[in-house]
Amino acid sequence: GMEGLSVGSVLLTGCDGGLGLGLLKGLLEQPSPPRHIFAACLDPQGKDRGHQPVPKPSCPLADVTDPNSIKAAVGKVRAGVGSAGLNLLINNSGTTRRSTLATETAENMSLVYTTNTIGPLQTSQAFLPLLKEAAEAAGQREMSCSRAAIINISSILGSIEVAEAWEERQDLCYRCSKAALNMLTKCLALEYGSRGILCVSVDPGHVTPPLEQGMGPVTLEESVRGVLQLLAHLSATSNGTFWDWRGQRLPW
């Protein structure tokens, strides 16, 4: 159906541009938009965001790799949502470095892993109490993004089985960080599923820099529309799984 994603509160990281801003806009345009939307970005003043018609991000989570920054964001969200808790955490912060097997470095690997894998771990740990409150507060027993969920924005480049686009882009640091993020999703699902919190990895089809023509969604809007439609339909059977923007299940 086209009823859209109906969720009380959302925290979205990585809203500085691209997919993050697209998802923010898409959430606000849902038939019943979230009552509370916390858009976390590196530049809360928004001076680098150009003239896009989106509201000022409300949550200066400057750095998903900095526990103090995350703690401040938790306080801000708690003040906004109260005992209703946080329904949906979208871990969208990510970075990449172009590399080949021959040029990959320890520095690249550490930097990208810290943001792409450790960041979502720390954010998920910190927001667990608020997600648990939402899971318990919801009248509904079924798992869903409307009740309580952690969505990790991953990439098909992290799929070990598919090993997509090796000729176009080796980017070991990025692939390894996303494969590790997918394992994190599985671990979160195993640990938090019994508490009513749904945990899923999603490939939005948009990697930075873009892959060759024809390998993903044509536009950012198409990607966002697909991701939000997917989120509206996820349920208990999807806990600990990997999906793409078309609503297709991906192999790990």
Side-chain angles (χ1 to χ4, degrees), residues 203-217:
D203 163 41
H206 265 274
V207 287
T208 314
L211 282 167
E212 301 309 297
Q213 203 49 50
M215 296 199 60

Side-chain angles (χ1 to χ4, degrees), residues 105-121:
T105 63
E107 188 197 8
N108 270 355
M109 291 292 278
S110 305
L111 200 143
V112 173
Y113 189 88
T114 300
T115 300
N116 292 5
T117 313
I118 298 173
L121 166 69

Side-chain angles (χ1 to χ4, degrees), residues 62-70 111 113-116 118-119 122-123:
D63 187 357
V64 294
T65 64
D66 171 18
N68 290 325
S69 183
I70 296 169
L111 200 143
Y113 189 88
T114 300
T115 300
N116 292 5
I118 298 173
Q122 293 186 142
T123 309

Side-chain angles (χ1 to χ4, degrees), residues 6-11 33-38 77 80-81 84-89 130-131 134 145-147 149:
S6 176
V7 54
S9 57
V10 184
L11 172 78
R35 228 179 102 215
H36 301 280
I37 184 152
F38 301 93
V77 171
V81 300
L86 176 68
N87 299 115
L88 180 59
L89 168 62
L130 282 163
L131 289 160
C145 286
S146 302
R147 183 184 177 191

Side-chain angles (χ1 to χ4, degrees), residues 48-249:
D48 297 332
R49 296 210 316 279
H51 305 292
Q52 302 207 16
V54 291
K56 258 197 168 50
S58 51
C59 187
L61 174 53
D63 187 357
V64 294
T65 64
D66 171 18
N68 290 325
S69 183
I70 296 169
K71 206 170 153 188
V74 171
K76 179 123 190 181
V77 171
R78 184 172 286 287
V81 300
S83 59
L86 176 68
N87 299 115
L88 180 59
L89 168 62
I90 305 178
N91 286 313
N92 170 63
S93 275
T95 189
T96 187
R97 293 285 177 98
R98 294 310 305 268
S99 62
T100 63
L101 187 50
T103 63
E104 195 54 89
T105 63
E107 188 197 8
N108 270 355
M109 291 292 278
S110 305
L111 200 143
V112 173
Y113 189 88
T114 300
T115 300
N116 292 5
T117 313
I118 298 173
L121 166 69
Q122 293 186 142
T123 309
S124 300
Q125 287 172 328
F127 281 95
L128 175 63
L130 282 163
L131 289 160
K132 269 163 66 178
E133 277 174 42
E136 286 154 18
Q140 55 199 125
R141 291 281 151 264
E142 294 299 309
M143 278 210 269
S144 72
C145 286
S146 302
R147 183 184 177 191
I150 297 171
I151 301 298
N152 288 326
I153 299 296
S154 184
S155 168
I156 192 153
L157 297 188
S159 168
I160 292 170
E161 197 171 321
V162 177
E164 180 102 342
W166 180 253
E167 299 308 320
E168 288 85 6
R169 168 157 330 153
Q170 296 195 356
D171 291 7
L172 261 79
C173 52
Y174 186 77
R175 288 176 187 269
C176 291
S177 73
K178 292 299 192 180
L181 178 65
N182 285 347
M183 176 53 99
L184 174 64
T185 296
K186 182 59 89 173
C187 295
L188 292 170
L190 291 168
E191 186 65 13
Y192 298 165
S194 59
R195 299 169 199 187
I197 302 167
L198 179 66
C199 304
V200 172
S201 273
V202 175
D203 163 41
H206 265 274
V207 287
T208 314
L211 282 167
E212 301 309 297
Q213 203 49 50
M215 296 199 60
V218 180
T219 63
L220 177 63
E221 288 70 28
E222 190 188 347
S223 167
V224 166
R225 201 165 42 245
V227 169
L228 293 177
Q229 211 170 336
L230 169 73
L231 298 193
H233 291 96
L234 292 174
S235 64
T237 54
S238 338
N239 193 35
T241 57
F242 187 18
W243 297 80
D244 75 4
W245 56 282
R246 290 169 294 210
Q248 293 179 355
R249 176 95 183 258

